[in-house]
Amino acid sequence: MTMDYFLLLCSLLLPVVSAVEETLMDTKWATTELAWTSHPETGWEEVSGYDDAMNPIRTYQVCNVRELNQNNWLRSDFIPRKDVLRVYVEMKFTVRDCNSIPNIPGSCKETFNLFYYESDSDSATATSPFWMENPYVKVDTIAPDESFSMLESGRVNTKVRSFGPLSKAGFYLAFQDLGACMSLISVRVFYKKCSTTIANFAVFPETATGAEATSLVIAPGTCVPNALEVSVPLKLYCNGDGEWMVPVGACTCASGFEPAMKDTQCQACSPGTFKSKQGDSFCLPCPANSRASSGASSICSCRNGYYRSDTDSPDSPCTTVPSAPRSVISSVNETSLVLEWSDPRDLGGREDIFYNVICKKCLPERGMCSRCDDNVDISPRHLGLTQRRVAVRNLQAHTQYSFEIQAVNGVSNKSPYAPQFSAVNITTNQAAPSAVPTVHLMAATASTMSLSWLPPEKPNGIILDYEIKYHEKVSSNDQGEAIAHTMTAQRSNARIEGLKAGTPYVVQVRARTVAGYGRYSSPADFSTNLQTDPPKSWQEQLPLIVGSATATLVFIIAVVVIAIVCLRKQRNGSESEYTEKLQQYKSPIVTPGMKVYIDPFTYEDPNEAVREFAKEIDVSCVKIEEVIGAGNPPKLLSYRGKTASHLQAIPLEDFTPSGTFTQFIASPLLCSFPLPYSSSLRNPPFSQSYRCL
């Protein structure tokens, strides 16, 4: 600490505690004669009297003013100094005015001198030390502030003088009169000290003043109970007047304790409160989901099921693990997969939410699932995800998998239980269905929407069902994210219920086969009505019924006419050899550009059926290899030839009464067959045509 800084502190800081005086001797309380030593015997005289309160006192008087060359000495008893370096002498006395005394020589005095003599023992005698300034040490010449005459009562003067430094065991006081008329009423010897005090939560012991009036005595300090040092050294300065000044260093209350009694004590935090750090702050109530059952708590323990992470401060509330992710959606494409999900409903009171994706390969015949091999690629990674979407690649074809999407946060590792998760099961295939082309709104009420859609252009197998995903449409000003809902439908139409009135919704549909889900259709925006439509009466529905019946009749007539025309063209353009057989087996009429579809089981000789169907192909290139199957599921005939790469499967069971399914080699010619609506179709289209290449 520089001197300038020290002086600045001295000028800014007030004394901590007022000075304390400790008395070494006081004649005022003497009950017997003092019996001090005087020289000569005709000088100072001990006189008993009373003070203003009529208390008996012992005084010394001298008044040899009519005689010249006075040198009267009065010496006190031995006074032990008690390791004091500097003492103070308080003298109460009266002095008569020399002018009020008639017929006196010019040697009359109104002052006296104060001396002291140090000694290691009470060894002074009537002749030793010698009655002179040396060996006695003069302190000062004492003059009264007021003197008195005979006509008025004596006025008591009080004077205080100090001297030091003292080094021996004790000392004597000596008073020298050189011709005054005075009375020494009382003498008090004392020293000043800085009493025990507490500053900055540190205790500083009683400390005597220094040897000089300007001295600063350093007193070391110690922290009060339950307090700790924050800066050292702990010290306080005691000045010459017995006042504390310039505290250096400080203590503060430890954790679990708060300041009390005007910053002189550190008291324990009460139950239900805590203080986590050392300092001057006060105890606080326990954070959420925590408690402190005892006093002096530096931390509140978490309740059951709640935790703090390693990076959480003791002041932080306790939190818990998140719930499982919601609305898991899987999109399978051959041996790849995309998983998407929504945030958990309960984040556990934390913001540091992460996700883990656990891949398991399942063996249904064994009834067990095991972790996937390392060659399965989960992108961007499978642990510690911040986004809610992953792409999975390198899965095995025609294999069942189970994926667990875990939700974890900063305290999941503190919980003894496994993270909560949502699971989705999928089966890979060579190809999933293509996207549903478009979705139509057929009807809407205040709480429902009736939808329909076209099947995927490439179903890549039998459509098992459809998944409809819908959610409220979020405006551009809304920063939130709408929660998606899903439902399934067995046909290409569905009715969504439980919707909000007058609310826009975004709807998407995707198809599912054994290979999994295909891609969603493009988002379609539909809205519910503001009010529920009243039920239509029978009269209002009658035109719709009549129109539907008329349309059906027209459609049937058109089909019959087309069949007749095709039959005639077939008769005119076909060879007579094949015409008879076509009529015999009731085959469809063939027109130029159209392909004849044959049921081979109506022929006695399968080779003849093959020649009939593949007459455009060189007979040498056509051969019946084997019968693959029969009945339902469909029967297949396998062919091997130059055009084998152009095989086209035609589901004849959907429009032939025989209920069979036959696969032939198609000619290189382009052919088409219009397929009308039939209620027997598993997934009936509105219209569909098949082309053979």
Side-chain angles (χ1 to χ4, degrees):
M1 181 185 294
T2 63
M3 181 58 65
D4 292 339
Y5 181 68
F6 178 79
L7 294 176
L8 176 62
L9 288 176
C10 290
S11 63
L12 294 177
L13 295 174
L14 295 175
V16 178
V17 180
S18 299
V20 175
E21 298 177 353
E22 186 76 19
T23 300
L24 297 176
M25 182 196 73
D26 191 353
T27 63
K28 180 179 179 180
W29 307 110
T31 57
T32 60
E33 292 184 355
L34 296 175
W36 286 359
T37 302
S38 62
H39 175 81
E41 295 182 356
T42 58
W44 293 90
E45 180 182 7
E46 183 176 1
V47 178
S48 297
Y50 296 92
D51 60 11
D52 295 338
M54 299 305 293
N55 295 315
I57 58 175
R58 300 291 179 178
T59 65
Y60 278 91
Q61 298 178 359
V62 63
C63 194
N64 298 333
V65 296
R66 297 186 184 275
E67 300 176 6
L68 298 175
N69 301 321
Q70 295 293 308
N71 186 16
N72 303 307
W73 289 76
L74 177 65
R75 187 181 64 207
S76 70
D77 293 336
F78 182 76
I79 305 172
R81 74 176 180 96
K82 297 182 179 179
D83 296 329
V84 176
L85 297 178
R86 188 174 190 85
V87 297
Y88 295 79
V89 180
E90 179 189 75
M91 298 162 287
K92 294 182 179 296
F93 60 94
T94 59
V95 176
R96 184 167 179 180
D97 186 359
C98 287
N99 294 329
S100 66
I101 304 175
N103 302 320
I104 60 172
S107 60
C108 179
K109 305 291 185 182
E110 293 182 357
T111 62
F112 65 96
N113 296 323
L114 174 64
F115 293 87
Y116 74 93
Y117 172 76
E118 278 196 275
S119 175
D120 285 329
S121 62
D122 186 7
S123 58
T125 63
T127 59
S128 177
F130 300 112
W131 301 102
M132 59 183 61
E133 185 169 334
N134 188 11
Y136 287 95
V137 179
K138 184 176 181 180
V139 178
D140 197 5
T141 297
I142 310 301
D145 293 327
E146 298 182 7
S147 58
F148 69 95
S149 64
M150 293 294 293
L151 300 177
E152 56 189 2
S153 60
R155 297 182 179 178
V156 178
N157 295 278
T158 301
K159 295 291 183 178
V160 177
R161 296 292 184 269
S162 65
F163 55 88
L166 301 176
S167 60
K168 296 186 177 182
F171 57 92
Y172 298 92
L173 292 179
F175 304 90
Q176 181 188 32
D177 167 50
L178 297 177
C181 186
M182 61 170 294
S183 175
L184 189 60
I185 299 175
S186 67
V187 178
R188 183 170 72 95
V189 180
F190 63 93
Y191 65 92
K192 294 182 178 180
K193 64 179 180 179
C194 295
S195 63
T196 301
T197 188
I198 298 177
N200 295 337
F201 297 99
V203 179
F204 297 91
E206 179 182 277
T207 303
T209 58
E212 304 295 335
T214 57
S215 298
L216 293 177
V217 179
I218 297 176
T222 56
C223 294
V224 299
N226 304 314
L228 301 174
E229 295 177 349
V230 291
S231 59
V232 291
L234 294 173
K235 58 184 178 180
L236 203 59
Y237 289 90
C238 180
N239 67 10
D241 293 329
E243 298 169 338
W244 291 112
M245 299 186 67
V246 196
V248 177
C251 302
T252 54
C253 293
S255 58
F257 295 85
E258 62 182 355
M261 300 297 292
K262 297 182 179 180
D263 294 344
T264 60
Q265 296 180 10
C266 293
Q267 69 179 11
C269 295
S270 59
T273 65
F274 79 109
K275 180 185 168 190
S276 62
K277 298 178 181 178
Q278 173 188 349
D280 297 332
S281 59
F282 292 89
C283 302
L284 298 174
C286 287
N289 306 314
S290 64
R291 59 187 175 187
S293 57
S294 60
S297 296
S298 59
I299 187 172
C300 295
S301 58
C302 294
R303 298 182 182 275
N304 291 337
Y306 291 88
Y307 316 92
R308 288 190 182 93
S309 71
D310 295 335
T311 58
D312 289 343
S313 66
D315 298 349
S316 302
C318 296
T319 53
T320 189
V321 298
S323 58
R326 295 178 294 168
S327 305
V328 180
I329 299 173
S330 61
S331 299
V332 179
N333 184 9
E334 300 181 359
T335 58
S336 299
L337 170 70
V338 174
L339 293 173
E340 296 179 274
W341 58 89
S342 299
D343 281 330
R345 187 177 304 276
D346 183 6
L347 299 181
R350 304 182 65 87
E351 298 297 331
D352 52 352
I353 185 73
F354 300 96
Y355 302 97
N356 300 329
V357 177
I358 308 301
C359 173
K360 294 183 178 181
K361 180 181 177 182
C362 299
L363 301 175
E365 63 277 7
R366 297 184 181 180
M368 59 177 293
C369 297
S370 59
R371 295 292 287 266
C372 295
D373 298 332
D374 294 337
N375 62 338
V376 175
D377 177 35
I378 300 179
S379 178
R381 56 186 177 275
H382 72 285
L383 296 178
L385 291 162
T386 55
Q387 61 269 48
R388 301 186 302 277
R389 185 180 188 274
V390 294
V392 185
R393 302 178 183 88
N394 300 334
L395 299 174
Q396 294 182 5
H398 303 288
T399 304
Q400 183 176 338
Y401 289 89
S402 177
F403 289 89
E404 296 178 359
I405 295 89
Q406 301 175 344
V408 297
N409 60 15
V411 297
S412 293
N413 61 339
K414 303 292 183 180
S415 174
Y417 306 105
Q420 299 192 43
F421 64 89
S422 294
V424 60
N425 299 322
I426 62 99
T427 300
T428 57
N429 205 334
Q430 294 300 331
S434 61
V436 171
T438 183
V439 182
H440 300 280
L441 177 65
M442 306 304 295
T445 67
S447 61
T448 65
M449 288 192 300
S450 296
L451 307 174
S452 66
W453 53 87
L454 294 176
E457 294 182 0
K458 296 180 180 180
N460 297 326
I462 299 175
I463 303 298
L464 300 179
D465 53 40
Y466 295 90
E467 181 181 77
I468 303 97
K469 181 177 72 171
Y470 61 95
H471 62 81
E472 294 184 28
K473 187 174 183 180
V474 179
S475 63
S476 58
N477 296 329
D478 192 349
Q479 300 298 325
E481 180 179 349
I483 298 177
H485 303 273
T486 59
M487 63 175 292
T488 58
Q490 302 300 319
R491 298 182 180 275
S492 58
N493 55 75
R495 177 185 175 92
I496 304 176
E497 299 180 345
L499 304 178
K500 297 181 180 179
T503 303
Y505 285 85
V506 178
V507 180
Q508 292 176 280
V509 180
R510 63 178 179 176
R512 183 175 72 92
T513 65
V514 293
Y517 282 105
R519 291 181 290 109
Y520 276 109
S521 62
S522 300
D525 296 347
F526 303 126
S527 297
T528 56
N529 296 339
L530 289 174
Q531 296 180 351
T532 304
D533 296 335
K536 294 183 178 181
S537 62
W538 183 85
Q539 291 80 0
E540 292 176 335
Q541 298 181 10
L542 182 60
L544 179 61
I545 298 174
V546 173
S548 300
T550 303
T552 303
L553 180 62
V554 171
F555 177 77
I556 294 174
I557 294 173
V559 171
V560 173
V561 171
I562 292 173
I564 294 174
V565 173
C566 291
L567 183 60
R568 289 179 178 178
K569 288 184 179 181
Q570 181 180 6
R571 289 176 179 175
N572 295 333
S574 302
E575 297 178 5
S576 59
E577 177 184 356
Y578 295 105
T579 301
E580 295 177 357
K581 293 181 179 179
L582 290 175
Q583 291 175 346
Q584 176 182 357
Y585 298 113
K586 300 181 181 179
S587 299
I589 298 174
V590 178
T591 60
M594 294 190 64
K595 183 66 182 177
V596 178
Y597 294 90
I598 302 300
D599 185 351
F601 293 97
T602 61
Y603 288 79
E604 297 177 359
D605 185 358
N607 292 307
E608 195 172 329
V610 171
R611 286 194 299 272
E612 179 67 20
F613 181 77
K615 62 184 179 180
E616 297 92 341
I617 305 173
D618 189 350
V619 177
S620 63
C621 298
V622 179
K623 178 183 177 181
I624 295 179
E625 183 75 20
E626 61 179 325
V627 176
I628 298 178
N632 192 6
K635 171 190 291 186
L636 302 178
L637 292 181
S638 173
Y639 296 92
R640 181 174 299 173
K642 292 183 180 180
T643 59
S645 60
H646 300 288
L647 292 178
Q648 176 74 32
I650 307 300
L652 295 183
E653 63 173 347
D654 289 338
F655 56 88
T656 60
S658 62
T660 61
F661 179 89
T662 310
Q663 180 173 348
F664 297 94
I665 297 178
S667 72
L669 302 178
L670 177 66
C671 61
S672 63
F673 186 86
L675 179 63
Y677 178 85
S678 174
S679 61
S680 65
L681 294 178
R682 286 194 180 94
N683 297 283
F686 291 93
S687 66
Q688 187 171 353
S689 63
Y690 293 84
R691 298 199 309 170
C692 305
L693 298 178

